[in-house]
Amino acid sequence: MKINFRNLLIVNLLVVFWSCQAEIKRPEVQIIPQPASVTNMEGTFSISSQTIILINSESPDMRKVTSCLTKRLEDFYQIKNKISFSGAAEKKSIFIKLNTGLSIPKEAYNLTVSPKGIMLEASSPNGLFYGVQSLLQLMPPIQQNLSEVVVPAVEIKDLPRFSWRGLHLDVGRHFMPKEFILKYLDNMAIHKFNTFHWHLTEDQGWRIEIKKYPRLTEVGSVRKETLVGHYGSNIYDGVQTGGFYTQDEVREVVAYAADRFITVVPEIEMPGHSLGALAAYPELGCTGGPYEVATTWGVFDDVYCAGKEETYAFLQDVLAEVIPLFPGEYFHIGGDECPKTRWQKCPLCKQKMKDEGLRTEHELQSYFVQRMGKFLNENGKKFIGWDEILEGGLAPNAAVMSWRGENGGIAAAKEHHYVVMTPGEYCYLDHYQADPKTEPLAIGGYLPIKKIYGYDPVPASLSQEEAKYILGAQGNVWTEYMKSPEQVEYMVYPRAAALAEVIWSPKGTKDFDNFKIRLVRLSKLYDILGINYCKSEFKQ
Ligand code: TNX
């Protein structure tokens, strides 16, 4: 046979063209956080308005899962799908199957995309929700009218490494409007975070309505001005500022979070960081005041008086109103940064120490925390506090949030207490993420995204048995230097994406270069969603 080189060349070109087409047609699987197992397969599946979403359960939880999917298809691509209740998969459909008999953990899911259809299966709605989040990341990060959305064929088997995947927000230093809290929750869900730690009371403002004590919000939520620049500048802006959430608004936030399978953990700080409350009810301090809602940052000597029974009665009343608003398992009672200066001089505190046989003010703090913890336990809550609650003796069933490094967490885990890791060096999203010279003013520190990405929440010094007490990790967002929702987003994203992978993905699968490639894609979604993320990582 005579070979015609011209024809061969054409055939070659066609082959190259087809294979390129095929490559273009099969988008890459780029998900954050990286799933536990991803098997790429040949081909794609196209979702159009003809694609039926099949479900095998019609519970409210199932509706949350499906509406997350249908809303995205409609909002981004103008594709409207029918949802149909059915027992089995059909060709070319998306089958969302709740299979309570499936022996995989609560938040795990299996997602199979093939040219014949999509099958998502989990043992609980939580797992299905995360499966949907992954499916959404298989779709193109564009907002455009499309007749079909092409997703790559793939088999994903996924489950989280940790059960506490937290993001915190301090609304005491700067109040954040409810609408922003809702957006914060939306963005958390995309990253498969499941715990929102809402820091609600501070020296600079009390942010939650308490019906029995109206002055907490009338007086305690407003400060007359705010420090300008860094601590110690002694320059103030002269602008009165404040804000708080009504109990109805809190209920709305908690329900909105639940729709995204996020638990809200409230924090009512005690015994320190309490000037907001003391300004409203000065009789609760050792000196009786008067006190002012703080206008600067830092740690203040005036804290709740541990010697007065009125303090405990007040806090129990407050907790009694707050507890029913939050259905989650845990309640946070602060416990950090409580100077003992006033207690040392206070006759009532001294008397209390005598009566209770307490030798040091640290033991008095421990008494305080244990007493309030007991009240929480009696009212159906577990409690968690910052690692200072270890000082002077840890309450028998308290969980610890380790922030001053990992040592507090390690000590607690060794004593078989549950721990959430939030060491400042790795988890403080208020620290600078790039060169301070080019960044908006922040509290200090330096935590580039790569450093968070490299964090492992289980310290090497723990045995396998002790490591089971590490519930997970959390990013903390203290807002001294974040005046607006935009600034909060700037500090949180994209670093929270790195943290999400730390907490979700299996140990040993992390690869920062690969993460960065996936992050470029995720940032396109941030653009569409109007997230004001920091772009320094994308420059180079
Ligand atoms: C320490 S972390 C605090 C906060 C500050 C933060 C600033 C913790 C339990 N207490 O009150 O806002 O540092 O980084």
Side-chain angles (χ1 to χ4, degrees):
M1 197 178 86
K2 235 175 82 189
I3 297 171
N4 179 333
F5 281 99
R6 201 173 138 259
N7 283 354
L8 196 63
L9 187 68
I10 289 171
V11 168
N12 260 341
L13 283 174
L14 278 174
V15 166
V16 169
F17 176 73
W18 276 326
S19 58
C20 282
Q21 283 292 93
E23 259 173 43
I24 290 165
K25 269 200 170 159
R26 191 189 175 284
E28 282 195 50
V29 176
Q30 293 185 335
I31 297 171
I32 291 179
Q34 178 66 31
S37 151
V38 174
T39 311
N40 285 299
M41 304 208 289
E42 289 276 301
T44 59
F45 180 74
S46 298
I47 305 170
S48 71
S49 291
Q50 271 74 56
T51 311
I52 296 179
I53 298 173
L54 300 171
I55 49 171
N56 69 332
S57 147
E58 283 182 310
S59 67
D61 270 350
M62 204 65 177
R63 226 170 298 136
K64 294 174 195 170
V65 171
T66 48
S67 71
C68 188
L69 176 62
T70 52
K71 200 170 172 306
R72 170 68 66 83
L73 285 163
E74 199 170 334
D75 289 355
F76 275 31
Y77 317 111
Q78 295 286 305
I79 290 178
K80 294 191 180 87
N81 300 87
K82 212 180 106 193
I83 298 177
S84 162
F85 181 70
S86 160
E90 282 168 33
K91 265 198 173 168
K92 304 275 176 192
S93 65
I94 302 175
F95 188 30
I96 301 182
K97 186 177 179 188
L98 182 66
N99 182 354
T100 49
L102 197 65
S103 57
I104 58 173
K106 184 176 161 196
E107 294 184 300
Y109 66 91
N110 297 332
L111 173 67
T112 306
V113 178
S114 84
K116 292 193 198 114
I118 296 178
M119 170 77 177
L120 170 61
E121 198 174 18
S123 64
S124 83
N126 304 61
L128 292 176
F129 184 76
Y130 297 125
V132 165
Q133 295 313 314
S134 292
L135 177 57
L136 297 183
Q137 288 196 39
L138 296 179
M139 296 179 192
I142 52 171
Q143 192 169 29
Q144 196 179 305
N145 275 18
L146 294 177
S147 56
E148 51 183 35
V149 168
V150 179
V151 288
V154 66
E155 203 178 287
I156 295 174
K157 290 192 191 305
D158 200 9
L159 80 173
R161 181 170 168 210
F162 294 104
S163 64
W164 187 299
R165 301 184 302 279
L167 212 51
H168 147 288
L169 185 64
D170 160 22
V171 293
R173 272 53 178 267
H174 281 102
F175 177 72
M176 298 291 155
K178 183 200 72 187
E179 290 66 31
F180 175 63
I181 305 296
L182 304 184
K183 187 182 179 200
Y184 199 72
L185 292 164
D186 280 335
N187 298 339
M188 283 177 63
I190 293 168
H191 298 81
K192 301 187 175 94
F193 283 104
N194 67 356
T195 306
F196 172 47
H197 173 171
W198 203 3
H199 183 81
L200 286 163
T201 67
E202 257 306 336
D203 295 310
Q204 295 81 6
W206 182 282
R207 305 293 179 213
I208 178 169
E209 175 192 29
I210 302 296
K211 296 198 198 283
K212 186 161 182 186
Y213 299 100
R215 284 174 61 81
L216 283 173
T217 43
E218 284 164 15
V219 175
S221 77
V222 184
R223 65 172 177 263
K224 68 171 194 274
E225 57 187 356
T226 304
L227 181 81
V228 176
H230 264 139
Y231 181 79
S233 78
N234 277 332
I235 306 168
Y236 292 84
D237 65 5
V239 182
Q240 180 173 304
T241 178
F244 68 92
Y245 310 98
T246 64
Q247 293 192 2
D248 279 342
E249 287 174 323
V250 168
R251 277 188 207 95
E252 188 187 336
V253 166
V254 170
Y256 194 88
D259 284 351
R260 286 147 189 79
F261 297 89
I262 294 170
T263 303
V264 187
V265 176
E267 180 180 351
I268 302 291
E269 266 266 32
M270 61 188 81
H273 286 293
S274 45
L275 273 177
L278 296 187
Y281 296 98
E283 63 274 22
L284 301 175
C286 293
T287 66
Y291 308 104
E292 242 190 13
V293 180
T295 55
T296 187
W297 318 125
V299 175
F300 299 88
D301 283 343
D302 287 304
V303 300
Y304 290 115
C305 175
K308 291 179 183 166
E309 276 306 302
E310 290 90 317
T311 301
Y312 301 100
F314 163 83
L315 283 169
Q316 286 189 9
D317 288 343
V318 168
L319 295 183
E321 283 194 38
V322 178
I323 289 166
L325 302 173
F326 295 91
E329 201 181 0
Y330 278 98
F331 199 107
H332 202 302
I333 54 170
D336 63 309
E337 298 180 326
C338 178
K340 310 295 184 286
T341 329
R342 296 284 181 263
W343 292 1
Q344 276 158 1
K345 297 210 176 98
C346 170
L348 291 175
C349 288
K350 284 186 191 161
Q351 188 59 45
K352 179 66 84 189
M353 286 171 67
K354 225 166 138 193
D355 293 347
E356 299 295 333
L358 309 167
R359 286 159 304 175
T360 64
E361 282 73 22
H362 284 301
E363 288 187 7
L364 182 56
Q365 153 132 355
S366 173
Y367 165 84
F368 194 121
V369 168
Q370 295 205 26
R371 189 163 161 183
M372 300 317 298
K374 189 161 167 273
F375 180 79
L376 284 162
N377 291 161
E378 283 162 5
N379 286 277
K381 294 287 176 199
K382 294 183 178 166
F383 77 100
I384 183 162
W386 300 108
D387 57 53
E388 283 93 334
I389 68 170
L390 282 154
E391 294 162 5
L394 187 56
N397 49 3
V400 170
M401 205 166 249
S402 193
W403 73 279
R404 296 174 303 173
E406 290 187 314
N407 287 345
I410 293 171
K414 284 189 183 292
E415 289 178 35
H416 294 185
H417 287 266
Y418 285 107
V419 171
V420 176
M421 282 296 186
T422 68
E425 208 191 327
Y426 293 99
C427 294
Y428 270 44
L429 301 176
D430 57 341
H431 291 181
Y432 283 105
Q433 56 196 313
D435 184 354
K437 287 198 283 295
T438 60
E439 286 293 294
L441 190 73
I443 196 159
Y446 180 55
L447 179 54
I449 192 166
K450 191 172 180 178
K451 187 165 177 188
I452 299 194
Y453 192 80
Y455 179 57
D456 193 284
V458 178
S461 57
L462 293 185
S463 71
Q464 242 180 20
E465 181 54 30
E466 290 159 352
K468 289 187 190 143
Y469 290 91
I470 308 293
L471 293 175
Q474 176 177 292
N476 289 340
V477 185
W478 301 103
T479 57
E480 286 97 330
Y481 296 88
M482 299 177 214
K483 286 180 182 300
S484 64
E486 291 71 30
Q487 188 56 18
V488 169
E489 287 187 346
Y490 181 85
M491 297 305 279
V492 172
Y493 292 103
R495 287 186 291 184
L499 184 64
E501 192 146 313
V502 165
I503 319 172
W504 179 281
S505 306
K507 192 178 176 184
T509 57
K510 283 192 291 175
D511 174 343
F512 187 63
D513 291 333
N514 180 274
F515 169 76
K516 270 178 80 172
I517 295 168
R518 286 178 284 124
L519 191 58
V520 171
R521 182 190 171 100
L522 189 61
S523 72
K524 292 178 187 156
L525 190 63
Y526 292 173
D527 288 329
I528 300 171
L529 297 172
I531 302 176
N532 182 42
Y533 60 100
C534 172
K535 314 234 169 17
S536 70
E537 196 53 37
F538 303 92
K539 278 171 195 155
Q540 289 132 47

